[in-house]
Amino acid sequence: MSHLFKRLSSTATVTIKSTPSKAHHHAPLPSSSFPAGYLLTGVHAGVKKKAGVLDLGIILSTSKLTSAAACFTRNAFKAAPVLVSDEILTKNGGRARAIVVNSGCANAVTGRQGMDDAWAMVRATDALLPPSAQENKNQHETLVMSTGVIGQNLPISKILPGITNTAPPTLAADFDAWERAAQAFMTTDTFPKLRARTFTLRGTQYRLAGMDKGAGMIHPDMGPASTTLHATLLGAILTDAPVSPRSLQNALTYAVERSFNSISVDGDMSTNDTVVVLANGAAAPPGTEEIDEAVDPEGYEVFKNELTAFAVDLAKLVVRDGEGATKFVTVTVKGAPSYKDAHSIASRISTSALVKTALYGEDANWGRILAATGSVPLSPIEKTTPTITPNKVSVSFIPGDGSQALPVLVAGEPENVDEVRAKQILEQEEFGVLVDLGMGTEEATYWTCDFSYEYVRINGDYRS
Amino acid sequence: MSHLFKRLSSTATVTIKSTPSKAHHHAPLPSSSFPAGYLLTGVHAGVKKKAGVLDLGIILSTSKLTSAAACFTRNAFKAAPVLVSDEILTKNGGRARAIVVNSGCANAVTGRQGMDDAWAMVRATDALLPPSAQENKNQHETLVMSTGVIGQNLPISKILPGITNTAPPTLAADFDAWERAAQAFMTTDTFPKLRARTFTLRGTQYRLAGMDKGAGMIHPDMGPASTTLHATLLGAILTDAPVSPRSLQNALTYAVERSFNSISVDGDMSTNDTVVVLANGAAAPPGTEEIDEAVDPEGYEVFKNELTAFAVDLAKLVVRDGEGATKFVTVTVKGAPSYKDAHSIASRISTSALVKTALYGEDANWGRILAATGSVPLSPIEKTTPTITPNKVSVSFIPGDGSQALPVLVAGEPENVDEVRAKQILEQEEFGVLVDLGMGTEEATYWTCDFSYEYVRINGDYRS
């Protein structure tokens, strides 16, 4: 018996097909779809080298009193724009009237210069606003976001003229303006992500519209000295509803947890992740109070749920955008002792490479789902820490077409699975995975995609 | 401007080369390398279909008083062999004289039958032992391990005759017996993992030898109804040193944390992960007391460190085994406020898909390392939770050949990196990444591999 194992060198030729984009790019929307009282633009300032590619976006609220809220990355390394925006929002007590965003450079790990540049962008955009209604007329009113390569300083000498000279004549409120702003956010995205939504509160119709950027999976960047990480998640949501600053922040935090924090992206949270919302009350009848949870809990609940549903729509677009992804999968964990636990487990299932591979393979592989589920320690409740009870756990696959669900594990026992039915469900482009822990009433939902055809093809299948 | 984006279908042909195994399979060792007082075998019982492929291993200690310790998976779903072994070890107060292992079927998620089968394997192996020295002669003395497909019952009617009839005549103490046992552990491994080590304590030479199984990255399994997860990690370490049960357990727990729990594998901890150690004192001069921390802290420290170094050697073999991996990378996090934090951060860096891709690409990409580092919340210390201070963090690449390290980030500022030097280091098959948090004195080391050539090739590079 030979004691020396060597794998023979071999070559195999594989033909790789690209899958067409699922074209979640929207059709043009009428201008009436959008919330009132906003002017937007997207221009080419020169951050990105290629001429004509939009890299600078500006959003202005024309209402003097505009509430603002934001959620920022929890990464210990926060980019300059994140630190600056956080400071402005805190000092203003949740008021701001403008957003400026550049793509192509993240202004992260850029030291003192980076901070100076972020403040310069704020001041230049402040100057575009009509005089403030606020008491302290020296307050800054702009929030700033950046996305792109890290460790490099902004080409601030191009950005500032972009804000001051290039952008203002192009500010508008029509569909084209909204889309140009959305395009200015893009880095690795394959389509601009823009959505609009309407809701009614006490007979008044309000609108939400917004854009985000981020791609579920990105090309690993192979060049030297490259410093790309996963594509930063940025979101900007605008509404013409009137909302108090603190309720706007509470609603956004709730919404972001269930949307942007519930999608699987390829990599860790970046140095730049930011979601901002502005509420300018432009559609409110005169004399309407700002919606505030303490004063009007029912109105607040309506707004919070609408904002959450809207944020979910935007966040799902990020999942749908990813090289080679062929599946859009909704992972739900229910019967959990806390929302946090349900969310942690859904996250683990959704980001597991082996689960994502099985999803691509249209394989009703509950083993990997189970291993991911059981890997997550539950949160302590008072002085004890609950543990999952294996014989209470059930797993099913939920068809995307509304037909009957397929249980694969019931109360800890494997089912004899009808393979034909499993194939039917998993061959669909969209389906769900449901894990019931049987130990509570809390639940969480996460959205994920499969691993690219190419990844799996090469890793797993030499047969064809 | 077209509002409808569709990626054109395209085909690309790529030639895939397999990389030869790094042949970490050992050369034959003289029988004197192995600890005294053990008999081993590996046979084909028929769990695996292919004739002659070893799937049943047995290890017996011929010393009447043998200490035993084990670390088991923390997954909430524990396989039957894990539950049974845990119970036996607890009831015996850390004594056992035998290990039985089968590969090809994990005996996980197998209900009552699975538990019965695991106990049957224990009883059949107990019967191979000479009468016990223990007070309770009805105590079980065998620990059981299984690895392979989950959700299917063991072919117990093949395993039991394997233990009772096939195995006993083949028990031996030579290299061939040790290697057959190591082969019986294998599932997705490409080589049997067996190592031996010597150490001296107060003039007496003791030996450690052992085997493990697991592969850093496995083929995603694409077949229907497949229930493979990541390859289970199993380890069996034997020594002829005399160690008390409680000190053996403490030493093993310490060693496992720094070895088997410090390697990057593709997937979550499985239902079956187990590492067992037996210490039979067979090489101790007559009258030697068992090494115990309370009585002999220095002797304990020597043993603990030797066991840890040995476990690290075994665990590294798992990292080296992985389809297409071309790099073996040591990730060290120092300057941390606690070992736990250093370990968590090293783990996050080591398991990040984007970091592993950059490693393959020989790209000194500190951005991804930073994002991974900053993603991990630190542990609370009393009533406060420390946070990483960005301007104290440094990152360097450590060449595998002992030459000078290359700093890429120093106290939060990016260096002007000498690209030629970066290329030199990252082109090596082995190198290190060092992250210094600058906020404490604790440190942890993790071992990882890059993502396969194939994965990166297809995801990132159509240029050639």
Side-chain angles (χ1 to χ4, degrees):
Chain A
M1 175 174 25
S2 162
H3 288 289
L4 196 60
F5 292 80
K6 261 205 170 82
R7 189 174 308 144
L8 295 175
S9 234
S10 65
T11 53
T13 304
V14 172
T15 302
I16 311 305
K17 296 199 194 72
S18 308
T19 51
S21 165
K22 285 181 281 299
H24 288 280
H25 189 206
H26 49 277
L29 298 163
S31 300
S32 56
S33 309
F34 297 102
Y38 291 98
L39 293 172
L40 302 90
T41 188
V43 297
H44 172 75
V47 185
K48 291 172 179 167
K49 293 191 169 55
K50 198 170 170 191
V53 178
L54 307 187
D55 56 18
L56 177 67
I58 293 176
I59 301 167
L60 305 178
S61 167
T62 56
S63 294
K64 286 198 167 184
L65 205 62
T66 304
S67 299
C71 291
F72 301 104
T73 180
R74 285 185 280 241
N75 198 298
F77 302 95
K78 294 172 173 54
V82 169
L83 296 171
V84 168
S85 296
D86 197 6
E87 187 179 326
I88 289 171
L89 214 49
T90 305
K91 283 193 170 149
N92 290 7
R95 299 282 184 196
R97 285 194 287 162
I99 300 168
V100 62
V101 58
N102 78 278
S103 50
C105 178
N107 195 13
V109 200
T110 42
R112 181 73 251 160
Q113 182 64 50
M115 292 295 285
D116 290 346
D117 291 345
W119 283 113
M121 289 176 67
V122 165
R123 286 192 302 269
T125 312
D126 282 346
L128 304 184
L129 289 163
S132 173
Q134 314 210 66
E135 280 186 8
N136 180 358
K137 298 213 189 301
N138 292 329
Q139 261 180 342
H140 294 293
E141 303 198 64
T142 300
L143 304 179
V144 53
M145 300 193 275
S146 299
T147 176
V149 177
I150 83 173
Q152 291 179 19
N153 287 104
L154 292 173
I156 196 67
S157 60
K158 295 182 178 172
I159 291 178
L160 295 180
I163 296 172
T164 306
N165 303 329
T166 315
T170 66
L171 285 161
D174 59 359
F175 169 77
D176 179 68
W178 283 85
E179 186 166 71
R180 281 185 290 113
Q183 286 171 326
F185 276 66
M186 293 168 64
T187 55
T188 52
D189 312 70
T190 64
F191 59 93
K193 301 177 170 80
L194 174 67
R195 286 289 185 273
R197 180 187 183 94
T198 302
F199 69 98
T200 304
L201 181 58
R202 300 199 183 91
T204 304
Q205 196 174 57
Y206 296 109
R207 286 170 176 72
L208 290 150
M211 56 210 74
D212 66 347
K213 60 87 55 194
M217 281 168 28
I218 60 169
H219 287 304
D221 189 325
M222 305 302 306
S226 63
T227 46
T228 54
L229 14 157
H230 91 77
T232 286
L233 281 180
L234 293 183
I237 300 174
L238 301 317
T239 182
D240 51 20
V243 187
S244 72
R246 69 180 174 186
S247 287
L248 189 63
Q249 183 65 64
N250 288 342
L252 182 68
T253 300
Y254 180 92
V256 165
E257 183 62 13
R258 288 155 182 75
S259 59
F260 293 98
N261 285 350
S262 291
I263 57 175
S264 165
V265 292
D266 195 18
D268 296 297
M269 73 178 87
S270 85
T271 47
N272 288 58
D273 290 352
T274 305
V275 179
V276 168
V277 61
L278 301 185
N280 68 4
T288 310
E289 294 285 327
E290 283 184 328
I291 299 165
D292 185 271
E293 187 178 6
V295 171
D296 176 17
E298 286 157 3
Y300 170 76
E301 203 63 20
V302 168
F303 175 73
K304 184 188 82 175
N305 292 335
E306 292 291 337
L307 180 65
T308 300
F310 185 67
V312 163
D313 275 353
L314 280 182
K316 282 180 178 178
L317 295 177
V318 171
V319 176
R320 291 186 184 281
D321 196 354
E323 179 75 6
T326 68
K327 304 287 180 192
F328 180 84
V329 180
T330 303
V331 176
T332 304
V333 175
K334 60 185 278 198
S338 70
Y339 171 79
K340 182 169 187 284
D341 289 332
H343 187 265
S344 299
I345 292 171
S347 172
R348 181 68 67 93
I349 295 168
S350 300
T351 51
S352 158
L354 290 181
V355 169
K356 288 161 77 109
T357 305
L359 295 175
Y360 166 75
E362 299 173 345
D363 174 10
N365 189 323
W366 53 265
R368 296 178 182 187
I369 293 168
L370 216 68
T373 300
S375 285
V376 180
L378 302 182
S379 308
I381 297 176
E382 292 170 1
K383 287 193 189 294
T384 62
T385 301
T387 51
I388 291 172
T389 308
N391 64 9
K392 289 187 181 175
V393 177
S394 302
V395 178
S396 349
F397 287 88
I398 315 294
D401 62 3
S403 56
Q404 195 170 24
L406 177 68
V408 291
L409 187 78
V410 176
E413 295 287 338
E415 292 283 289
N416 279 329
V417 174
D418 174 352
E419 294 302 329
V420 171
R421 178 62 180 147
K423 198 164 145 65
Q424 270 178 355
I425 295 175
L426 296 201
E427 274 178 349
Q428 297 301 313
E429 208 179 275
E430 302 198 13
F431 55 86
V433 173
L434 176 63
V435 175
D436 187 340
L437 301 181
M439 57 187 297
T441 55
E442 296 295 333
E443 99 172 46
T445 300
Y446 222 89
W447 295 275
T448 189
C449 58
D450 58 327
F451 254 156
S452 67
Y453 170 94
E454 294 88 347
Y455 164 69
V456 171
R457 184 78 166 149
I458 297 312
N459 273 302
D461 188 0
Y462 290 100
R463 281 170 283 170
S464 44
Chain B
M1 176 173 25
S2 165
H3 288 290
L4 197 59
F5 292 78
K6 263 208 170 81
R7 187 174 307 141
L8 295 174
S9 235
S10 65
T11 53
T13 305
V14 172
T15 303
I16 311 304
K17 296 199 194 71
S18 308
T19 51
S21 166
K22 287 183 278 298
H24 289 281
H25 189 206
H26 49 278
L29 299 162
S31 299
S32 55
S33 310
F34 297 102
Y38 292 98
L39 294 172
L40 303 89
T41 188
V43 297
H44 172 76
V47 186
K48 291 174 180 168
K49 291 189 170 58
K50 198 170 168 191
V53 178
L54 307 186
D55 55 18
L56 178 66
I58 294 175
I59 301 168
L60 305 178
S61 167
T62 56
S63 295
K64 287 198 166 185
L65 205 62
T66 304
S67 298
C71 291
F72 301 105
T73 180
R74 284 183 280 241
N75 198 299
F77 301 95
K78 292 173 172 56
V82 169
L83 297 171
V84 167
S85 295
D86 196 7
E87 187 178 327
I88 288 171
L89 214 50
T90 305
K91 282 193 172 149
N92 289 8
R95 298 285 183 194
R97 285 193 289 161
I99 300 168
V100 63
V101 58
N102 78 278
S103 50
C105 177
N107 196 12
V109 199
T110 42
R112 180 73 251 162
Q113 183 64 49
M115 292 294 285
D116 289 347
D117 291 346
W119 284 111
M121 288 176 69
V122 163
R123 286 193 301 270
T125 312
D126 283 345
L128 304 184
L129 289 164
S132 174
Q134 314 209 66
E135 279 187 9
N136 179 358
K137 299 215 186 303
N138 292 330
Q139 260 180 345
H140 294 292
E141 302 199 63
T142 301
L143 305 180
V144 53
M145 300 194 275
S146 300
T147 176
V149 177
I150 84 174
Q152 290 179 19
N153 287 104
L154 291 174
I156 197 67
S157 60
K158 295 182 179 172
I159 291 178
L160 296 180
I163 295 172
T164 305
N165 303 330
T166 316
T170 66
L171 286 161
D174 58 1
F175 169 77
D176 179 69
W178 283 86
E179 185 166 72
R180 282 185 289 113
Q183 286 171 326
F185 275 66
M186 293 168 65
T187 56
T188 53
D189 311 71
T190 64
F191 60 93
K193 301 179 170 79
L194 175 65
R195 286 291 186 272
R197 181 187 183 95
T198 304
F199 68 99
T200 303
L201 181 59
R202 301 202 182 91
T204 304
Q205 197 175 55
Y206 295 110
R207 286 170 174 73
L208 291 150
M211 55 210 75
D212 66 346
K213 59 87 56 193
M217 281 168 26
I218 60 170
H219 286 301
D221 190 325
M222 306 301 305
S226 64
T227 46
T228 54
L229 12 156
H230 93 76
T232 287
L233 281 179
L234 294 183
I237 299 175
L238 301 316
T239 182
D240 50 19
V243 187
S244 72
R246 69 179 175 186
S247 286
L248 189 63
Q249 183 64 64
N250 287 343
L252 183 68
T253 300
Y254 180 92
V256 165
E257 183 63 14
R258 287 154 182 75
S259 58
F260 293 97
N261 284 350
S262 290
I263 57 175
S264 165
V265 292
D266 195 16
D268 296 296
M269 74 178 86
S270 85
T271 46
N272 288 59
D273 290 354
T274 306
V275 179
V276 168
V277 61
L278 300 185
N280 67 5
T288 310
E289 295 285 328
E290 284 183 327
I291 299 165
D292 184 271
E293 187 178 6
V295 171
D296 176 15
E298 286 158 2
Y300 170 76
E301 203 63 21
V302 168
F303 175 73
K304 185 188 83 175
N305 291 335
E306 293 290 337
L307 181 64
T308 300
F310 185 67
V312 163
D313 275 353
L314 280 182
K316 282 180 177 178
L317 295 177
V318 172
V319 176
R320 293 187 183 280
D321 196 356
E323 179 74 7
T326 67
K327 303 288 180 192
F328 179 84
V329 180
T330 305
V331 175
T332 305
V333 174
K334 60 185 276 197
S338 69
Y339 171 78
K340 183 170 185 285
D341 289 332
H343 187 264
S344 298
I345 292 171
S347 171
R348 182 68 66 94
I349 295 168
S350 300
T351 51
S352 159
L354 290 182
V355 169
K356 287 161 78 105
T357 306
L359 296 176
Y360 165 76
E362 299 172 346
D363 173 11
N365 190 323
W366 53 265
R368 297 177 182 188
I369 293 168
L370 216 68
T373 300
S375 287
V376 180
L378 302 183
S379 309
I381 298 175
E382 289 171 2
K383 287 192 189 297
T384 62
T385 301
T387 52
I388 291 172
T389 307
N391 65 9
K392 289 185 179 177
V393 177
S394 301
V395 178
S396 348
F397 286 88
I398 316 294
D401 62 1
S403 57
Q404 196 171 24
L406 177 69
V408 291
L409 187 78
V410 176
E413 295 287 337
E415 292 284 288
N416 278 331
V417 173
D418 175 352
E419 293 302 329
V420 172
R421 177 63 180 146
K423 197 164 145 64
Q424 269 177 358
I425 295 174
L426 297 201
E427 274 178 348
Q428 298 300 313
E429 208 178 276
E430 302 198 13
F431 56 86
V433 172
L434 176 62
V435 174
D436 188 339
L437 301 181
M439 57 187 298
T441 55
E442 296 294 335
E443 101 173 46
T445 299
Y446 222 89
W447 295 275
T448 189
C449 58
D450 58 327
F451 255 156
S452 67
Y453 171 92
E454 294 87 346
Y455 165 69
V456 171
R457 183 76 167 152
I458 298 312
N459 273 300
D461 189 359
Y462 289 100
R463 281 169 284 168
S464 43

